[in-house]
Amino acid sequence: MTEMNGETEPYTETQVMIETENKILEQVPKNTEFIAVVDDGEENDRNQLNVKEHLHVQGKYVTLDLSCCGIMKVPVETFEYENLTTLYLQDNNLCGIPDDLISLQNLETLVLAKNKIKVLSRTVYLLDKLVQLDISDNDIEEILPDVAGLESLREFRVNGNRLDEIPSQIGYLRKLRILTLNDNRLKDLPKSVSNLENLKILSLDGNSLEFLSPEICRIDGLKQLTLSGNQITNLPRDTENFLALEKLNLDDNDFEFIPIQVLWLENLAELALSGNRLKEIQPEIGQLKNLTILGLNSNDLEEIPEELFQLQRLEVIGLENNKITVIPDSIAKLYDLRELYLGDNRIKEVPENLCWCSQLEVLSLLKNDLSSFPIEIENLRKLHTLVLSNNHFKTIPDAIGSLVHLEILSADGNELETLADDVKGLIRLRQLNLNNNKFSIFPKVICELKLLEVLDISNNSVEFLPPVISQLERLVVLKLNQNHIKSFDNDLCALKELQVLDMSTNLLQEVPETVADMENLNDLDLSNNLFIEFPKTVFSIPNLERLKFDQENGNQLPIIPDEIEFSSISYLILSRNSLRTLPNTISGMRNIKSIIADHNDIHTLPKTICDIPQLQVLHLNDNCLTSLPENFDNLSKLKDLRIHNNPLKTPPMDVCVSGVMQPIGRFIRRALEREDFFINKFEELLLMKMINVIKTYLNKNELRYLMKKFRFPEEKMAELEQTYYGKDKLQDRVYHAMLFWKEFKGPLANIEELIRVFHVIGYDDLCLKLRAMKIYAQRLRL
């Protein structure tokens, strides 16, 4: 069964014997494990996908759901199910559909949305039993004339592709009821579209239409037409033929007036013309007696005509972002009005008559010039959302406590200093927005709102939180940022249900140990405070996922404590501190996925950062890094690497800019190999220079003493003395003795060992000389 345009229609017989299910499953060989090519997002490995596990049978209806499996090809076993009626392949990495699809002649529903298909296989057009076809969100540039073969098609969705035109053969799909072509490049539709006599829904949003073809207007049974996001300035006269039209969406076009033909559509229930250039609403609007929803936001309207208030079935009116100055008293005639949006206008006064719209549930008056509200607001007892943001209120409207069904109250961006006790009458209030006001004292009356879940009192001048804040037992989100709060109190830690806490830009210096009691807290912002050292107590919050500690306007800290390894943090922001490195224990963070540490003084990264296989995001912009750790490419899941404005040499920035791990790792290893090679050569040359110095320092007795310290064999010492006998060959004897030491000791014969030995045997002058040579050579190398 499928639902189309509110109507339920059967595809095939509804009464089917249970035995049918067994017969269908008998087609599958026992113990068969089907394999599909799966894209794991990394190397496109071949992973096992048991197709049979995705098979669902209900009577004659056989569904194979392979959506979101990451497959690059349709498993060949799919085509063995000849009785398949529904095939879901959306949200994969398919580039095409094989011709084997032709074997599925019983297919009624085929969903190929959200893939990478550029050309739709001709075999799709040969599935003459197909009722639903969805190829949205691909890269398809053409619908072939073969589409005429889909004579049973009733729903065709082609949104989000690259179509420039639709073939005239679309007109052969006479059973089509739903056709959506949103977000393509269409400039027109073929005349044959008028043959779609059963079409009920036509969507053409986000195309390049400059006009509506009169041929479309011949589909007199059309109920829903959406044309938003085009460049249409007017509609054809034949629009009046849409006698059955119930919904018309013309948002975000170039209309300067409401087409008069639209105002003749007596069955119209929803009309959307937001985001145009309308300067007035014609009096003929009063003819749309069945209108329930009217959207005229973001235009240039200055007044609301009296005729609009004749539309007594209106339930939703959107007039935000216009130039309206007055709400007419006649608004009281709209008895069924449930939602009224008048934000971002120039209204200075709310008429008493508005309060007689007793069915009103949502009222938005944000960004006007209001400073008061009539006391009759108490009549709006069904109101659940009231938005008074960005006005000039100095007090909350009197009698607001009568609104016992109010769930959301937004009064941010006003001039409030206190809250009246009436507020405690809002017994169902779940969300209260009071940010950007003039509170210097936290209003205690808020703490009596027992069902409150979201409280925003940021950007005020609050210094202390009252102990009774602990009574807000259902609070989930608390925003206290940009105040003057000096203490993170234990009473705050008693909010067991709190999940999001923003205390950035305050005067905090420490976080109490009782913060560990906040077992549901997962998002904490402590940026821009006055911490002397990092508050390691936050690492004890059991389920903390996101910690932001950006100190651009706070005390910038040089060290993150090692205890961070015990935290449960997944997303860590440490930007704008004075860090020189990250802690070695960072690899112990079992959940960490994202580290952002931009604008610090980081010179080196710990090698242990390469031991975080789950890391996906690493931002280190504007630091002092010259190199990355050797095994940096172990971070195989890293998808977002940003290290701009660092003096990188190993590897250089042009290698890192791609963020691809393999070339980065390859460059680092080769650079280290080259560096090791040159270091070895450098030390070899320096060692030989030292040997040349040593041969001029030692006499024969000192040489013999040195050879004994080096534990030369007696026969070797005798050989050297015989071969290089005499005073004139002493330097040669020393030189070859040192060469033998170098060969005899192997890797242990290095500069450090040579200096150590001369120091031990008391040759201090020579030792100082050798050390000076080493230091000087190192400076030259740098």
Side-chain angles (χ1 to χ4, degrees), residues 27-44:
Q27 297 179 25
V28 185
K30 292 182 179 180
N31 303 320
T32 300
E33 293 291 329
F34 295 142
I35 305 299
V37 177
V38 177
D39 181 9
D40 65 357
E42 282 295 323
E43 300 177 358
N44 301 333

Side-chain angles (χ1 to χ4, degrees), residues 208-244:
S208 302
L209 301 173
E210 295 181 359
F211 61 90
L212 181 66
S213 170
E215 298 298 329
I216 295 177
C217 302
R218 295 174 60 185
I219 311 173
D220 52 19
L222 201 64
K223 291 187 176 182
Q224 179 176 316
L225 175 61
T226 64
L227 296 163
S228 66
N230 285 284
Q231 296 104 42
I232 301 173
T233 58
N234 204 347
L235 296 177
R237 181 177 180 81
D238 295 338
T239 302
E240 64 186 36
N241 295 334
F242 287 135
L243 299 179

